Amino acid sequence: MSEERRRAVLRAIVEGYVSTHEPVGSKALADAQSLGVSSATIRNDMAILEEEGLIAQPHTSAGRIPTDLGYRSFVDQLAAAALPDAHKRAIGTFLSDAVDLNDVVERSVRLLSQLTRQVAVVQYPSLRESAVRRIELVRMGAEHALVVVVSSDARVDQRTIALGEATSDDSFERAVREVNLTAEGLTGARLETALTVWAAAPDQVPWAGAVADFVVTAARGGTVERVVFAGASNLARAGSGLEAGTIAPVLEALEEQVVLLRLLHEMAAEGDDVSVRIGAETHLEALSRTSIVAAAYGRDASSLVGALGPTRMDYPGTMAAVRAVARYLSKVVEH
Amino acid sequence: MSEERRRAVLRAIVEGYVSTHEPVGSKALADAQSLGVSSATIRNDMAILEEEGLIAQPHTSAGRIPTDLGYRSFVDQLAAAALPDAHKRAIGTFLSDAVDLNDVVERSVRLLSQLTRQVAVVQYPSLRESAVRRIELVRMGAEHALVVVVSSDARVDQRTIALGEATSDDSFERAVREVNLTAEGLTGARLETALTVWAAAPDQVPWAGAVADFVVTAARGGTVERVVFAGASNLARAGSGLEAGTIAPVLEALEEQVVLLRLLHEMAAEGDDVSVRIGAETHLEALSRTSIVAAAYGRDASSLVGALGPTRMDYPGTMAAVRAVARYLSKVVEH
DNA sequence: TCCTGGCACTCGGACTCGACGAGTGCTAAT
DNA sequence: ATTAGCACTCGTCGAGTCCGAGTGCCAGGA
């Protein structure tokens, strides 16, 4: 059956192109022996693959390179690859002695960028609703104060608020005591009503509303979603396969949190173990020459880790690394 | 006096090269009229400037470009340029409604990268010693706890510690009460001895030492120094002037906090209003094609903001922007 | 002493040309 | 269905050529 062999030809083209970064021709494939047929046969298969849109030739007289569709087909037929032992060990030692959430995320993103030699992306875990454990207020000058909310799931949110008008030390201290008594241990709707009542009390300090608002949003799961990345230099490294002009837009997209976040959300929605977007599949002009491999982690698999690189990348290896880091991250985040 | 005119020639070469990105020849300068002498005269001046090592020609038959030394001489003779009004307004609006320290730093770095169209770098303010305001401990699972230290200067440090062995809820709560009573309001050496005594008390929980250590370092001015950057895409943007191969090392250096920090420290030590390192002056191979313009901000002018770009950059404009952002940052950070 | 016009010279960039070879598609034979 | 053979395409590489920007130097003038 030639259908079977055509898949093998495609696989060989992808692998060849990924490793050499040069179009691969029928003769080279025939010489590699792994297919056991002559170059002419391979040429015929290539013609069909080209008709199907899976491969293309940059010039009339050059070998073939996979199209986005070709990579897609290749990836879809891929069995889960094992991660090299050395990498497994690296993950263990790297992440084991992280010191807080920031540190975990920071280490993960560095690690993943080193394992994959690509740009690693980690979305901060979106945290679920949690109870308020303690609210601290610190005066900063006469007109501002810092609100610190420590939540029961070990998160710390902070924000400065304007006091509006002069507040005496006495009423400041009283407000701190009261808001703690009011909020401690509460969650969600009960927390919200309790704080609303507190803020509306007669004689209340004028900035009570601001404090209440912030405490509620903090308890609701933190402030804003964020993405951090590392390994941007891998994009620019010689032989990355991105043409000179294409890397600036990619860097822009990475710094443009919003765009990236939307893409990651879309990918999370697919619900696969490891989700892959290839080239134009990202629907982003800036990323049309790159692919993203991402996996969910954390409670409810609600956040994503990923690696971004040229479409011409080592999919099996990257997928294995991303999958592994996501697993370890899940473990760490869920305690 | 021809010395005077030679400076003007150098200035014209720098400005011409910066704006056109092409070597500038004697004829072009003579045609520009601003010097009022013939091309032959300019050629003579150029010969001298070249002997002095201030300019060089890439090929025998091309115009001249400034050397690192040339830029240095140019920069040293520079009067402080004014910042465009539009930029001033941008700074005001951008930074005015920041929500906490992170936000301030984040906004600043973005802003600066946009103003200068270069990579902006901001070192987190290194904070002075401060008194402990409140210590919060939150259990995380059976074996770990999160320590949160709120300092009197509105900083929040956090870290997880291992509990070592099972601790009863009672003794946990007692430890929290005690450590707060012990540490509140103290600073420096007195804080340290008080906590050491507390941790060494008989019947003390085994992890008291770890808590004490962390509280002391937190009060001493925070955990680790950090640098954030933004605008990396400006490096890769067409016409940035960096050759394809040179940008990967630069990105690496940026991600390599340590190296960058050392450089910034060196620059801070110079104590100028705005400090400039040009090309090889950075003493970093990776940055040998780039310049850094930095200014101190914050209490004791202890931290730095800067912009990093190709040696062929608009020094007056960049210096003005960096200076302005540093001023505003100082205001905000000092409250 | 300093500036200028003129002139010969250099050398990199762009362009052309031709040889080469990798790779292809097609066809006829197995 | 596969293969060997063959004519053909087209991009790359090197050599050769031309052009012009830019230079250094010199002799003459203020």
Side-chain angles (χ1 to χ4, degrees):
Chain A
M1 203 53 235
S2 70
E3 170 65 22
E4 187 59 34
R5 193 190 50 226
R6 272 210 300 280
R7 297 291 134 199
V9 170
L10 175 60
R11 194 162 56 239
I13 292 177
V14 171
E15 283 165 0
Y17 185 58
V18 165
S19 67
T20 65
H21 293 194
E22 268 169 23
V24 358
S26 58
K27 191 128 180 290
L29 286 191
D31 289 351
Q33 294 293 357
S34 62
L35 294 168
V37 291
S38 79
S39 67
T41 311
I42 294 177
R43 277 202 293 282
N44 288 331
D45 288 341
M46 281 176 161
I48 298 175
L49 287 171
E50 186 158 11
E51 255 175 35
E52 294 176 351
L54 299 179
I55 59 178
Q57 35 184 344
H59 317 293
T60 320
S61 146
R64 307 304 221 283
I65 62 175
T67 60
D68 287 359
L69 232 73
Y71 285 120
R72 163 56 60 198
S73 166
F74 171 78
V75 166
D76 286 346
Q77 309 221 337
L78 219 49
L83 194 71
D85 279 352
H87 286 188
K88 277 192 193 160
R89 260 176 282 125
I91 296 179
T93 55
F94 230 82
L95 296 188
S96 58
D97 44 37
V99 114
D100 68 1
L101 180 61
N102 260 311
D103 202 29
V104 169
V105 171
E106 202 80 8
R107 279 163 184 264
S108 302
V109 76
R110 292 246 171 100
L111 174 63
L112 186 55
S113 79
Q114 280 173 21
L115 290 184
T116 60
R117 304 209 135 261
Q118 248 125 28
V119 185
V121 182
V122 175
Q123 180 186 3
Y124 263 78
S126 70
L127 297 151
R128 60 164 181 205
E129 207 161 83
S130 61
V132 171
R133 165 133 188 155
R134 167 106 198 148
I135 300 163
E136 196 67 36
L137 280 131
V138 187
R139 287 194 101 125
M140 297 162 64
E143 297 174 3
H144 293 87
L146 179 77
V147 188
V148 179
V149 180
V150 182
S151 309
S152 60
D153 64 343
R155 197 154 28 83
V156 181
D157 293 283
Q158 49 179 314
R159 152 176 268 156
T160 49
I161 57 163
L163 296 182
E165 60 187 63
T167 308
S168 73
D169 282 355
D170 275 359
S171 45
F172 190 88
E173 293 302 334
R174 188 166 51 87
V176 176
R177 263 199 315 279
E178 282 183 10
V179 74
N180 270 291
L181 286 175
T182 311
E184 189 171 350
L186 295 189
T187 335
R190 284 176 57 203
L191 173 70
E192 191 162 356
T193 52
L195 281 174
T196 315
V197 171
W198 167 75
D203 275 346
Q204 187 53 281
V205 291
W207 36 268
V211 173
D213 280 355
F214 177 62
V215 173
V216 170
T217 62
R220 197 175 274 148
T223 31
V224 197
E225 283 195 305
R226 278 211 312 145
V227 176
V228 294
F229 63 94
S233 55
N234 290 326
L235 276 182
R237 178 169 283 117
S240 83
L242 271 324
E243 300 86 9
T246 58
I247 99 168
V250 175
L251 286 173
E252 267 170 39
L254 285 174
E255 294 190 337
E256 193 70 47
Q257 307 263 331
V258 203
V259 183
L260 192 56
L261 269 171
R262 194 171 51 219
L263 177 58
L264 290 178
H265 275 143
E266 278 177 37
M267 293 178 73
E270 285 169 13
D272 288 343
D273 173 27
V274 177
S275 160
V276 181
R277 289 285 172 112
I278 297 165
E281 291 175 4
T282 57
H283 300 304
L284 293 175
E285 180 57 30
L287 302 186
S288 62
R289 299 291 182 192
T290 64
S291 292
I292 304 188
V293 176
Y297 77 96
R299 314 179 201 286
D300 319 326
S302 53
S303 303
L304 283 193
V305 224
L308 181 151
T311 45
R312 161 214 292 169
M313 74 188 221
D314 169 21
Y315 290 93
T318 308
M319 289 168 77
V322 169
R323 182 183 296 118
V325 170
R327 291 231 178 104
Y328 274 78
L329 254 177
S330 281
K331 264 192 216 160
V332 176
V333 169
E334 291 169 4
H335 307 303
Chain B
M1 205 50 237
S2 69
E3 170 66 20
E4 187 60 33
R5 193 191 50 228
R6 270 210 300 280
R7 298 290 135 199
V9 170
L10 175 60
R11 195 162 54 238
I13 291 177
V14 171
E15 284 165 358
Y17 184 58
V18 165
S19 67
T20 67
H21 292 194
E22 268 171 23
V24 1
S26 58
K27 190 130 180 291
L29 285 191
D31 290 350
Q33 293 292 359
S34 61
L35 294 167
V37 291
S38 78
S39 66
T41 311
I42 294 177
R43 276 203 291 283
N44 288 331
D45 289 342
M46 281 177 159
I48 299 175
L49 287 172
E50 185 157 12
E51 255 177 33
E52 293 177 351
L54 299 179
I55 58 178
Q57 33 185 347
H59 316 294
T60 321
S61 149
R64 307 303 222 286
I65 62 175
T67 61
D68 287 359
L69 232 73
Y71 285 121
R72 163 58 58 200
S73 166
F74 171 79
V75 166
D76 286 346
Q77 308 219 340
L78 218 50
L83 194 71
D85 279 353
H87 285 188
K88 277 191 193 160
R89 259 175 284 127
I91 296 178
T93 55
F94 230 82
L95 296 188
S96 57
D97 42 37
V99 114
D100 67 1
L101 180 62
N102 259 311
D103 202 28
V104 169
V105 171
E106 201 80 11
R107 279 162 184 265
S108 303
V109 76
R110 293 246 173 101
L111 174 63
L112 186 56
S113 77
Q114 279 172 22
L115 291 183
T116 60
R117 305 208 133 260
Q118 247 125 31
V119 185
V121 182
V122 175
Q123 181 185 1
Y124 263 78
S126 70
L127 297 151
R128 61 168 179 201
E129 206 161 85
S130 61
V132 171
R133 166 135 188 153
R134 165 106 200 148
I135 299 163
E136 195 68 35
L137 280 131
V138 186
R139 287 194 101 127
M140 298 163 64
E143 297 175 4
H144 294 85
L146 178 77
V147 188
V148 180
V149 180
V150 182
S151 307
S152 59
D153 65 343
R155 199 154 28 81
V156 181
D157 293 284
Q158 51 179 311
R159 153 174 268 156
T160 49
I161 58 163
L163 296 182
E165 59 186 64
T167 307
S168 72
D169 283 356
D170 276 359
S171 43
F172 190 88
E173 294 301 334
R174 189 165 52 86
V176 175
R177 265 198 314 279
E178 280 183 11
V179 75
N180 269 291
L181 287 175
T182 311
E184 189 171 352
L186 295 190
T187 335
R190 284 175 57 203
L191 174 71
E192 190 161 356
T193 53
L195 280 174
T196 317
V197 171
W198 168 74
D203 273 347
Q204 187 52 280
V205 290
W207 36 270
V211 173
D213 280 355
F214 176 63
V215 172
V216 169
T217 62
R220 197 175 273 149
T223 33
V224 195
E225 284 195 306
R226 277 213 312 147
V227 177
V228 295
F229 63 94
S233 55
N234 290 325
L235 276 181
R237 179 170 281 118
S240 84
L242 270 323
E243 299 85 7
T246 58
I247 99 169
V250 175
L251 286 174
E252 267 170 39
L254 285 173
E255 294 190 336
E256 193 69 48
Q257 308 263 329
V258 204
V259 183
L260 192 56
L261 269 171
R262 193 169 53 219
L263 177 57
L264 289 178
H265 276 143
E266 278 177 37
M267 294 179 72
E270 286 168 13
D272 288 342
D273 172 29
V274 178
S275 162
V276 181
R277 288 287 171 108
I278 298 165
E281 290 175 5
T282 57
H283 300 304
L284 293 176
E285 181 57 27
L287 302 186
S288 61
R289 298 291 181 191
T290 63
S291 293
I292 305 189
V293 175
Y297 76 96
R299 316 177 200 288
D300 320 325
S302 53
S303 302
L304 284 192
V305 224
L308 181 152
T311 45
R312 161 213 292 171
M313 74 186 220
D314 168 22
Y315 290 95
T318 308
M319 290 168 75
V322 169
R323 183 184 295 118
V325 170
R327 291 228 179 106
Y328 274 77
L329 254 178
S330 280
K331 264 191 216 161
V332 176
V333 169
E334 290 167 5
H335 307 302

